[in-house]
Amino acid sequence: MSLDIGEAFSEGISRTVAKNGLLLAVVFAVVALLTTVLFQTFLVGLLEAILEFMQSASTSELGIPQSEYDQALEQLRNTAQQTRQTSPLALNIPAGVAAAGLLVLAIVSEAVSIVAIRVFATDETETMPRDLTTRNIVLATLNGFIGGIVVSALILVGFVFLIIPGIFLAVAFYFLRQEIALNDKNFVQAMADSWRVTKGHRITVFALALVLVLIAQLEAMVGSAFGELSPLASALVTPVVGGILGVFGAAVVTRAYVQLQEPDLEAEPETSDEQTDPYDAALGADDIPE
């Protein structure tokens, strides 16, 4: 079946504002908020650790002149101070602990994405069957997490080579998580099947992805606008907007995937309910026994 972008967006909106969509938006927002907290904590902690190292090291140990050392130290102090001022949610914990927390949250986020895809692929809008949240969730999450890293690396390499290969790979593997979440594939099989599903529809899939990327810029725009008021307001509002947009994007992409899985009835040859009788024809002279 061909991909109808308008239908995918229409279904994405209706699924997002339904009970399940709003519940998932809250979960996405909470994960995004915790990620913001830990990222700010990691950034501040890392800069402070570097600053402490610089202050304890001598110019002879670093192998640089005193003037360069003083200049670098001053720049580092200014950067650390600015980062503290723009990181109101940073916690007083080591950067290593924050980094470990970010890794855990990335895996949790992957699990939530798997559940969201399963929910949006069904007709359920008000209830969330247990099977959707528990079926093979550990393996699906690990495959989604590792597969996402692999595909991102391939896309990055593709962008190095004149951008176009990166865009092509991003489109070809666009339904990686749908294949993992809905069909319990490992990430290698999911990559192969996503390639197959997008074949013949890649221009349309690219157009759909481009629109979603443009819509996703609303998060940065809202964050920037609230940042003019205060860093704290921006840090609190941005994850909420990101949660809503994340759920909307998952719904749109999943409904597009479901469209492409439906059989193309127009391409199927018409068949008659009645069997054609090979002997249902007028008899010729040779057919009459003597």
Side-chain angles (χ1 to χ4, degrees):
M1 181 177 180
S2 60
L3 176 57
D4 186 333
I5 295 179
E7 181 180 343
F9 274 92
S10 176
E11 291 183 347
I13 293 172
S14 63
R15 295 306 180 92
T16 301
V17 299
K19 180 180 178 180
N20 282 344
L22 295 176
L23 178 61
L24 286 166
V26 171
V27 177
F28 270 60
V30 169
V31 172
L33 179 59
L34 292 175
T35 300
T36 301
V37 170
L38 290 179
F39 180 75
Q40 289 187 0
T41 302
F42 171 75
L43 199 57
V44 171
L46 180 62
L47 286 172
E48 289 181 346
I50 296 174
L51 180 60
E52 183 179 351
F53 168 77
M54 286 286 292
Q55 289 173 333
S56 62
S58 64
T59 55
S60 58
E61 290 175 334
L62 297 175
I64 58 175
Q66 185 66 42
S67 58
E68 291 184 13
Y69 172 82
D70 293 338
Q71 183 179 6
L73 193 59
E74 183 62 25
Q75 290 177 346
L76 189 56
R77 284 198 187 100
N78 292 336
T79 302
Q81 183 178 1
Q82 291 174 0
T83 303
R84 291 190 201 98
Q85 292 173 349
T86 56
S87 303
L89 301 180
L91 303 176
N92 189 26
I93 59 176
V97 175
L102 286 171
L103 177 60
V104 172
L105 276 179
I107 295 174
V108 171
S109 177
E110 188 66 45
V112 175
S113 296
I114 294 294
V115 172
I117 290 169
R118 290 175 175 175
V119 170
F120 293 138
T122 68
D123 294 329
E124 296 287 348
T125 59
E126 301 298 319
T127 61
M128 204 172 295
R130 184 179 179 85
D131 178 63
L132 299 180
T133 60
T134 60
R135 191 189 80 241
N136 200 30
I137 190 65
V138 174
L139 284 178
T141 299
L142 292 177
N143 274 289
F145 183 72
I146 298 172
I149 294 174
V150 172
V151 169
S152 297
L154 290 174
I155 293 172
L156 181 61
V157 172
F159 271 107
V160 172
F161 294 98
L162 302 178
I163 299 178
I164 299 300
I167 295 175
F168 176 82
L169 291 174
V171 171
F173 298 134
Y174 200 59
F175 297 119
L176 169 81
R177 285 182 173 84
Q178 279 68 27
E179 288 289 341
I180 292 172
L182 302 177
N183 301 320
D184 295 326
K185 305 274 181 70
N186 62 51
F187 73 90
V188 177
Q189 294 171 327
M191 289 171 66
D193 286 338
S194 177
W195 186 287
R196 175 186 56 78
V197 171
T198 57
K199 186 176 182 181
H201 306 282
R202 286 174 184 149
I203 293 178
T204 313
V205 173
F206 169 74
L208 177 120
L210 181 60
V211 175
L212 284 176
V213 168
L214 293 176
I215 293 175
Q217 302 311 305
L218 287 172
E219 181 180 359
M221 293 170 61
V222 171
S224 178
F226 276 88
E228 296 295 327
L229 299 177
S230 74
L232 180 60
S234 177
L236 294 176
V237 173
T238 302
V240 175
V241 177
I244 296 172
L245 293 178
V247 168
F248 174 67
V252 171
V253 176
T254 301
R255 297 314 302 174
Y257 173 83
V258 170
Q259 279 189 43
L260 293 177
Q261 296 303 300
E262 293 176 355
D264 191 349
L265 298 179
E266 296 180 358
E268 295 181 358
E270 295 183 359
T271 58
S272 174
D273 293 336
E274 299 181 357
Q275 294 288 337
T276 302
D277 187 352
Y279 298 102
D280 187 15
L283 294 175
D286 295 336
D287 297 322
I288 302 175
E290 296 180 0

